[in-house]
PDB file of all heavy atoms in Angstrom:
ATOM      1  N   GLU A 848      -5.521   2.309   1.629  1.00  0.00           N
ATOM      2  CA  GLU A 848      -4.484   1.474   1.173  1.00  0.00           C
ATOM      3  C   GLU A 848      -4.904   0.025   0.891  1.00  0.00           C
ATOM      4  O   GLU A 848      -4.656  -0.570  -0.114  1.00  0.00           O
ATOM      5  CB  GLU A 848      -3.293   1.442   2.150  1.00  0.00           C
ATOM      6  CG  GLU A 848      -2.155   0.577   1.758  1.00  0.00           C
ATOM      7  CD  GLU A 848      -1.081   0.423   2.826  1.00  0.00           C
ATOM      8  OE1 GLU A 848      -1.376   0.740   4.007  1.00  0.00           O
ATOM      9  OE2 GLU A 848      -0.007  -0.064   2.503  1.00  0.00           O
ATOM     10  N   ARG A 849      -5.635  -0.463   1.862  1.00  0.00           N
ATOM     11  CA  ARG A 849      -6.114  -1.847   1.794  1.00  0.00           C
ATOM     12  C   ARG A 849      -7.090  -2.062   0.617  1.00  0.00           C
ATOM     13  O   ARG A 849      -7.049  -3.085  -0.057  1.00  0.00           O
ATOM     14  CB  ARG A 849      -6.752  -2.296   3.162  1.00  0.00           C
ATOM     15  CG  ARG A 849      -7.045  -3.807   3.217  1.00  0.00           C
ATOM     16  CD  ARG A 849      -7.636  -4.128   4.564  1.00  0.00           C
ATOM     17  NE  ARG A 849      -8.906  -3.503   4.810  1.00  0.00           N
ATOM     18  CZ  ARG A 849      -9.145  -2.700   5.786  1.00  0.00           C
ATOM     19  NH1 ARG A 849      -8.305  -2.277   6.666  1.00  0.00           N
ATOM     20  NH2 ARG A 849     -10.389  -2.173   5.941  1.00  0.00           N
ATOM     21  N   ALA A 851      -7.677   0.058  -2.104  1.00  0.00           N
ATOM     22  CA  ALA A 851      -7.327   0.492  -3.447  1.00  0.00           C
ATOM     23  C   ALA A 851      -6.203  -0.314  -4.067  1.00  0.00           C
ATOM     24  O   ALA A 851      -6.018  -0.169  -5.312  1.00  0.00           O
ATOM     25  CB  ALA A 851      -6.865   1.993  -3.276  1.00  0.00           C
ATOM     26  N   ARG A 852      -5.561  -1.160  -3.326  1.00  0.00           N
ATOM     27  CA  ARG A 852      -4.511  -1.980  -3.891  1.00  0.00           C
ATOM     28  C   ARG A 852      -5.032  -3.067  -4.762  1.00  0.00           C
ATOM     29  O   ARG A 852      -5.981  -3.748  -4.372  1.00  0.00           O
ATOM     30  CB  ARG A 852      -3.576  -2.532  -2.706  1.00  0.00           C
ATOM     31  CG  ARG A 852      -2.466  -3.381  -3.325  1.00  0.00           C
ATOM     32  CD  ARG A 852      -1.624  -3.974  -2.205  1.00  0.00           C
ATOM     33  NE  ARG A 852      -0.850  -2.874  -1.671  1.00  0.00           N
ATOM     34  CZ  ARG A 852      -0.351  -2.722  -0.423  1.00  0.00           C
ATOM     35  NH1 ARG A 852      -0.706  -3.702   0.460  1.00  0.00           N
ATOM     36  NH2 ARG A 852       0.336  -1.755  -0.033  1.00  0.00           N
ATOM     37  N   THR A 853      -4.460  -3.278  -5.884  1.00  0.00           N
ATOM     38  CA  THR A 853      -4.838  -4.340  -6.782  1.00  0.00           C
ATOM     39  C   THR A 853      -4.004  -5.623  -6.478  1.00  0.00           C
ATOM     40  O   THR A 853      -2.788  -5.605  -6.761  1.00  0.00           O
ATOM     41  CB  THR A 853      -4.702  -3.969  -8.260  1.00  0.00           C
ATOM     42  OG1 THR A 853      -3.334  -3.593  -8.501  1.00  0.00           O
ATOM     43  CG2 THR A 853      -5.628  -2.868  -8.596  1.00  0.00           C
ATOM     44  N   GLY A 854      -4.583  -6.637  -5.912  1.00  0.00           N
ATOM     45  CA  GLY A 854      -3.872  -7.856  -5.602  1.00  0.00           C
ATOM     46  C   GLY A 854      -2.606  -7.560  -4.762  1.00  0.00           C
ATOM     47  O   GLY A 854      -2.668  -7.011  -3.700  1.00  0.00           O
ATOM     48  N   ASP A 855      -1.413  -7.986  -5.290  1.00  0.00           N
ATOM     49  CA  ASP A 855      -0.198  -7.761  -4.589  1.00  0.00           C
ATOM     50  C   ASP A 855       0.336  -6.401  -4.717  1.00  0.00           C
ATOM     51  O   ASP A 855       1.396  -6.085  -4.214  1.00  0.00           O
ATOM     52  CB  ASP A 855       0.886  -8.759  -5.044  1.00  0.00           C
ATOM     53  CG  ASP A 855       0.527 -10.224  -4.674  1.00  0.00           C
ATOM     54  OD1 ASP A 855      -0.209 -10.381  -3.614  1.00  0.00           O
ATOM     55  OD2 ASP A 855       0.948 -11.135  -5.368  1.00  0.00           O
ATOM     56  N   GLY A 856      -0.349  -5.591  -5.436  1.00  0.00           N
ATOM     57  CA  GLY A 856       0.024  -4.145  -5.696  1.00  0.00           C
ATOM     58  C   GLY A 856       0.745  -4.076  -7.004  1.00  0.00           C
ATOM     59  O   GLY A 856       1.544  -4.946  -7.356  1.00  0.00           O
ATOM     60  N   HIS A 857       0.434  -3.041  -7.772  1.00  0.00           N
ATOM     61  CA  HIS A 857       1.041  -2.795  -9.092  1.00  0.00           C
ATOM     62  C   HIS A 857       1.346  -1.302  -9.224  1.00  0.00           C
ATOM     63  O   HIS A 857       0.627  -0.469  -8.622  1.00  0.00           O
ATOM     64  CB  HIS A 857       0.068  -3.280 -10.167  1.00  0.00           C
ATOM     65  CG  HIS A 857      -0.270  -4.683 -10.103  1.00  0.00           C
ATOM     66  ND1 HIS A 857      -1.332  -5.254  -9.363  1.00  0.00           N
ATOM     67  CD2 HIS A 857       0.393  -5.806 -10.679  1.00  0.00           C
ATOM     68  CE1 HIS A 857      -1.343  -6.532  -9.517  1.00  0.00           C
ATOM     69  NE2 HIS A 857      -0.316  -6.892 -10.340  1.00  0.00           N
ATOM     70  N   PRO A 858       2.255  -1.004 -10.152  1.00  0.00           N
ATOM     71  CA  PRO A 858       2.487   0.434 -10.423  1.00  0.00           C
ATOM     72  C   PRO A 858       1.210   1.017 -10.973  1.00  0.00           C
ATOM     73  O   PRO A 858       0.434   0.351 -11.692  1.00  0.00           O
ATOM     74  CB  PRO A 858       3.557   0.364 -11.551  1.00  0.00           C
ATOM     75  CG  PRO A 858       4.242  -0.957 -11.382  1.00  0.00           C
ATOM     76  CD  PRO A 858       3.185  -1.870 -10.855  1.00  0.00           C
ATOM     77  N   ASP A 860      -1.278   1.930  -8.868  1.00  0.00           N
ATOM     78  CA  ASP A 860      -2.325   1.769  -7.953  1.00  0.00           C
ATOM     79  C   ASP A 860      -2.697   3.054  -7.235  1.00  0.00           C
ATOM     80  O   ASP A 860      -3.779   3.213  -6.754  1.00  0.00           O
ATOM     81  CB  ASP A 860      -2.006   0.718  -6.865  1.00  0.00           C
ATOM     82  CG  ASP A 860      -2.268  -0.734  -7.273  1.00  0.00           C
ATOM     83  OD1 ASP A 860      -2.867  -0.912  -8.370  1.00  0.00           O
ATOM     84  OD2 ASP A 860      -1.885  -1.658  -6.533  1.00  0.00           O
TER      85      ASP A 860
END
Side-chain angles (χ1 to χ4, degrees):
E848 177 189 15
R849 188 177 68 241
R852 179 179 287 151
T853 56
D855 292 332
H857 297 91
D860 276 354

